[in-house]
Amino acid sequence: MSTPTSTTSAESAGPVDWAKLVADARPGVVRLEVASCDARWMGTGFVVGPHQIMTAAHVAIDAQTVSVQGDGFNTTADVVGLDRGSDSALLWSPEDLQHPLKLAPVAPQLAAPVALLGFPQAVSDLRVTQGIVSGLQASADYSDVDIHLAGLIATDAAINGGNSGGPALGRDGSVIGLVTGKQVWNVEDDPVEGTGFLVPAAQLAPHLREWRDLTPPDGGRGCDGDNQAPEAQGSILEVEVVPDSAEAGDVARSLVLHGESINHGDYEIAWGLFTPRLKRDLGSLSTWESGLGSSYWTNLTVGSVEVSGDEAVVEAALRTEQDAKDGYRGQTCSIYSLTYSMKRDGAAWLIDHAKNAQGSPRACP
């Protein structure tokens, strides 16, 4: 059990080298793109184990697919644990995750410095804001998702949409809390500034211990209206993004989310990643969906991404597997060389056109 003396000495140490602490933590912070059956949103998470990512419960609630952008990689994740009482959730990813962040063993003191890491306003590059611990027993209510929190850390560090689920670092680089939200109005409807909230590490630790060994259940997901084609049991969509740029990762995430949605039978989500023009060309969700049959994505390699304003051209290689009756000329494994035309729609990239450079897929070797 920590003593007040050890806490005081840690908090009153010399100046904090925030540049070094952020550089050390950066590989362990990830950008999340989440889709439900009828909406998409962004959030932040941080690595806590070989396959585990912690984020806010309100980021993970109703998630059908989760696309993850890390430091030099793109992958997917599933929700394996969620607790509204602490606004915390744990994701499991097939990626071999590196650089886990540690939860602080001791609560911060009032006025202790803090740095928040995340992806506010759906940006592609990591952002950092700094402040102090301005309170230790704050509370917050998010009635729309039935989350009511107490015992929170208050901070004056800037928080915006997309920061939720990100880590708040203390002066030693450990995670003192998880970003949950901020107060915008008081009970008298007066605007409030500089009041953000963090879920303390002490509230996160018990759930992390409880969920650490959980893995995603087989099947069980889907949206109303989907035909619930069997999931690709045991199949993980392997993704490689060759261009090493934030823009390339941003564009690739939409393709990953599209493929993952197809694999899980979440066809409404996959359909939602088409532009209105492509939807018109395809006719209807049911027509497009029926053409998929048993096909699912197994490998996606994004070879190049050229972005110009709100448009992008992507060269990619896609491998699919399917029953012989659904494959081109009876193929059970097919390889496509695709050129995607993409258009930016707010924070997301939508597929506007896809062309197979070879005219038809070739059979896997």
Side-chain angles (χ1 to χ4, degrees), residues 11 26 67 125 162-163 186 232 263 322 333 340 342 357 362:
E11 297 293 354
R26 182 172 184 166
S67 181
D125 55 317
N163 273 123
N186 63 16
N263 286 1
Q322 58 276 322
C333 179
Y340 287 99
M342 313 277 289
R362 68 182 189 274

Side-chain angles (χ1 to χ4, degrees), residues 116 128-131 155-160 163 182:
L116 312 187
V128 181
T129 59
Q130 292 178 249
T155 180
D156 63 351
I159 294 174
N160 288 289
N163 273 123
K182 66 179 181 179

Side-chain angles (χ1 to χ4, degrees), residues 115-138:
L116 312 187
L117 281 63
F119 299 88
Q121 305 300 317
V123 298
S124 297
D125 55 317
L126 185 70
R127 302 295 171 88
V128 181
T129 59
Q130 292 178 249
I132 64 168
V133 171
S134 56
L136 294 172
Q137 290 297 323

Side-chain angles (χ1 to χ4, degrees), residues 156-211:
D156 63 351
I159 294 174
N160 288 289
N163 273 123
S164 291
L169 303 183
R171 63 180 305 126
D172 65 350
S174 63
V175 178
I176 65 169
L178 176 149
V179 177
T180 178
K182 66 179 181 179
Q183 185 175 4
V184 180
W185 307 93
N186 63 16
V187 293
E188 298 176 351
D189 289 333
D190 295 323
V192 174
E193 295 184 3
T195 305
F197 302 116
L198 313 173
V199 179
Q203 292 188 27
L204 304 175
H207 298 301
L208 179 56
R209 288 193 294 270
E210 176 186 358
W211 299 331

Side-chain angles (χ1 to χ4, degrees), residues 262-333:
I262 291 173
N263 286 1
H264 290 292
D266 297 331
Y267 299 122
E268 287 187 11
I269 296 174
W271 177 259
L273 289 163
F274 293 145
T275 62
R277 186 190 74 83
L278 183 54
K279 289 178 180 177
R280 289 193 299 269
D281 291 346
L282 294 171
S284 67
L285 169 59
S286 59
T287 300
W288 170 76
E289 176 186 314
S290 64
L292 294 174
S294 59
S295 178
Y296 60 91
W297 294 23
T298 59
N299 299 82
L300 175 68
T301 300
V302 177
S304 68
V305 178
E306 298 293 335
V307 178
S308 177
D310 289 336
E311 298 184 353
V313 176
V314 181
E315 302 291 340
L318 171 65
R319 174 174 169 156
T320 68
E321 295 184 13
Q322 58 276 322
D323 295 338
K325 64 181 177 61
D326 296 319
Y328 177 75
R329 294 186 175 179
Q331 294 174 4
T332 57
C333 179

Side-chain angles (χ1 to χ4, degrees), residues 24-30 46-52 71 73 95-101:
D24 289 343
R26 182 172 184 166
V29 185
V30 297
F46 57 97
V47 176
V48 290
H51 297 280
Q52 291 78 27
D71 190 26
F73 69 89
E95 184 80 13
D96 185 12
L97 302 172
Q98 306 293 321
H99 307 289
L101 304 187

